């Protein structure tokens, strides 16, 4: 139970950090095709680095435990959020933006009160995808002595052949799947209560 709570806590906190950074990057670059392409390419490149290799590169710098786990998870969570933020903001109808300016809204007001609200379903979908990705990747954090259910999986695998070793690895894996489904349900509820009916098409 303790490892499950640590797993969820690590994923949720890293997702929040990735969302803050990713949405910020998306807001900054979405008006520039070159900037959008560079941001998407860089975050895509991070995602191609195997998690074992990334943790191996971070351990000499950050040591073992939570720090390399947090950095790795935040980096892995960026791509869906950055991409969906750019897509969502670019999908806002230009006439809506012009109408907002026409009634005297400032550029910051148009961004925060119009563009981000209309882009929110796409941004939320990106955050939801990142969370599901990080649930699985967080299991690898046990390699760096990070928190979470990966500890149970690795402990089972290293004792392969002994009594209950397989059960321990399966319990850790099933725990991650169950937690991922629970978080996905929470995101569905967040979407229902934060996306207006007009945007949802109801």
């Amino acid at each position: 139970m303790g490892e499950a709570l640590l797993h969820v806590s690590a994923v949720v906190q890293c997702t929040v950090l990735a969302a803050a950074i990713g949405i910020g990057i998306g807001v900054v670059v979405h008006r520039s095709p070159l900037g959008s392409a560079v941001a998407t390419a860089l975050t895509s490149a991070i995602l191609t680095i195997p998690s074992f290799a990334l943790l191996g590169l971070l351990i000499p710098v950050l040591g073992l435990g939570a720090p390399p786990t947090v950095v790795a998870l935040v980096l892995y969570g960026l791509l869906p959020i950055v991409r969906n933020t750019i897509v969502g903001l670019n999908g806002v109808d230009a006439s809506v933006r012009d109408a907002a300016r026409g009634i005297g809204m400032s550029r910051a007001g148009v961004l925060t009160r119009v563009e981000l609200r209309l882009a929110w379903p796409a941004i939320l979908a990106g955050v939801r995808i990142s969370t599901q990705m990080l649930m699985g990747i967080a299991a690898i954090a046990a390699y760096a002595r990070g928190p979470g259910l990966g500890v149970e999986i690795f402990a089972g695998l290293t004792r392969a052949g002994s009594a209950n070793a397989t059960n321990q690895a399966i319990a850790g894996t099933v725990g991650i799947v169950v937690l991922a489904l629970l978080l996905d349900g929470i995101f569905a509820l967040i979407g229902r209560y934060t996306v207006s009916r007009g945007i949802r098409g109801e």
Side-chain angles (χ1 to χ4, degrees), residues 47-147:
L47 203 57
T48 63
I49 302 173
S51 46
F52 274 113
L54 183 56
L55 286 169
L57 292 172
L58 292 173
I59 288 173
V61 180
L62 301 174
L64 295 169
T69 303
V70 170
V71 172
L73 292 182
V74 170
L75 289 175
Y76 281 127
L78 285 177
L79 175 61
I81 300 171
V82 170
R83 179 177 288 173
N84 278 34
T85 301
I86 293 170
V87 170
L89 289 173
N90 286 337
V92 176
D93 196 319
S95 61
V96 175
R97 197 178 291 124
D98 292 340
R101 291 193 187 116
I103 61 172
M105 293 179 70
S106 64
R107 187 166 181 172
V110 173
L111 175 66
T112 57
R113 297 173 63 185
V114 178
E115 292 178 309
L116 282 174
R117 289 189 181 188
L118 292 174
W120 176 239
I123 295 171
L124 184 62
V127 176
R128 190 173 177 175
I129 293 168
S130 283
T131 305
Q132 296 302 305
M133 285 171 43
L134 296 188
M135 284 300 292
I137 295 173
I140 309 298
Y143 171 69
R145 296 184 184 175

Side-chain angles (χ1 to χ4, degrees), residues 149-173:
L149 288 168
V151 173
E152 297 295 324
I153 297 172
F154 272 71
L157 294 177
T158 53
R159 296 190 303 108
S162 62
N164 293 323
T166 303
N167 290 339
Q168 189 174 12
I170 291 175
T173 304

